[in-house]
Amino acid sequence: MVLGEERFRKENSVWDADVLPPSRGGRVVDWSPSLKHYPHFDKPIRHKDIEELVRNPDAVSRNSFYPFMRFEEKWQPFRDKVGGKPKKKIRQLRFASRRDAYIYSYYRHILRDPYEASLRARDLEHSVIAYRKLVTPTGKGKSNIDFALDAFNVIRNFGHAAVVTLDISAFFESIDHELLRQKWCSLLGTAELPRDHRAVFRAITRYSIVDRDAAYERLGYLTWEAKGAGKIPVYTTGFKDMPRQLCSNSEFREKICGKGGTFASLIETNENDFGIPQGSPISDMLANIYLIDFDSALKAYVDAVGGTFFRYSDDIIIIVPGEEIEAIAARDFAMNEIKKHGSKLLIKESKTSVLRYFSVPGGQDFKKIHGEQGTNGLEYLGFRYDGKAAYLRDSTMSRLYRKVTRSIRAEARALVRRYPEKDQSYIESKFNAAKFMQRYGRVEDFDPKASYDTWTFWTYARRAIEIFGPLGKPISGQLKNYGQIVRTRMTHEIAHALS
């Protein structure tokens, strides 16, 4: 992984008849660009020039959009005690050039108000929860902790509840372009997309991509080093030292586009009639817009049976009063309804679970009715609810330990290189444990004066305990041995690096 890549990931008709969409006649307020400094093919652009670009429909319609950069995020899912080691998961992420990202961000902003108005008109503002600014009764921004608690509280209030969880397979890659165009037009109240919106639509649907590592290799920022039977990438230039513009325009045309025939083109274009790139500043908004009719149909269904539902991007949870019959009926409705909103949309059978919760003395209990998941209770947005208490999911803890191990391994190797011929004890003495723990867990073990503001995962876990209240008490127990686990892995990785 390139140094700083994690930081980079953290940086990515309801209009009145007499009012034109903002990009066509009005000035959009409350928008300012978040300046982007990651390496890409375009030159950095001044704040003033960004404003002049995105607010000029003619300039947007004439913009030549660069290819997206693509890289893969791989991780090992939690190893179940029964099921064995599952296959590694791979998620392809794509990020736009700075210039293009500003345009996507601005047009996302343009679409936000009409989309929010449409949600209110359809009574969906409490059901569609991803990629929106939602607040708690105290005015604080909601997180997945709050969303999970909302769902658990609905189940608790019902007493007897049928719960269905579903996951849309390859959601962003399955969005039908023509249906998206129609919904986009409907939101703007126009028969056709205005010229600037059409340019953005074309760029986000007929998008092109360049594999990041292939581009880095072609431009001399990466080489490959043999490791065992395979190869691993070695970056010749650190993330901080890479130029913000990776190459000149002439080099881009020659080495990336293949102009002149010296190099093969690295550009891949989406020739399908479906799919938008996950990771662009506008993709999340378009994904929500695309499913608004599905959301309406599902809302009508749950209202008719006295239930509710929440959709967090491609994760759907349906909660209705009743037992097995009601649960299966809700599941079947959602799985059949989704087929009406794009021929490529499909609910993952392996990610579908059906549970029944029922009242018992002192709270609730549950029974799994269908699905591979749910053996230990409902799993939703990183948490698990078994009818009595809420927990961090095992996979959440697994991801934490995986990140910790990976980071410790990298630091251990660096220390061994820095102090050749030194023994284990000496290397361990040079490991800055307090600084490392600030990134992932409790600093209190090393610095009693440290504030929660300097914590990361521990901040998240502590907030979950506070928000869940008594329901989340077991989370403290899950974290009980965290510090010792980190220390043990540190010792192991240094020993491994020395061998």
Side-chain angles (χ1 to χ4, degrees), residues 338-374:
I338 197 71
K339 298 174 184 178
K340 302 176 184 178
H341 303 276
S343 61
K344 299 297 180 180
L345 289 186
L346 179 68
I347 298 292
K348 291 180 183 176
E349 180 66 25
S350 62
K351 291 291 188 71
T352 299
S353 68
V354 181
L355 300 97
R356 180 172 67 87
Y357 281 80
F358 48 90
S359 298
V360 296
Q364 286 179 301
D365 204 344
F366 77 95
K367 177 183 178 182
K368 187 177 80 168
I369 298 172
H370 169 82
E372 298 178 13
Q373 299 181 340

Side-chain angles (χ1 to χ4, degrees), residues 96 135 229 444 478:
V135 297
E444 188 178 24
Q478 289 182 281

Side-chain angles (χ1 to χ4, degrees), residues 19 59 283 349 362 403 429:
V19 179
S283 294
E349 180 66 25
K403 290 179 180 179
S429 72

Side-chain angles (χ1 to χ4, degrees), residues 224-242:
W224 295 90
E225 183 178 285
K227 183 178 181 181
K231 296 180 180 179
I232 59 172
V234 176
Y235 296 92
T236 59
T237 305
F239 183 87
K240 292 181 180 179
D241 297 325
M242 277 192 185

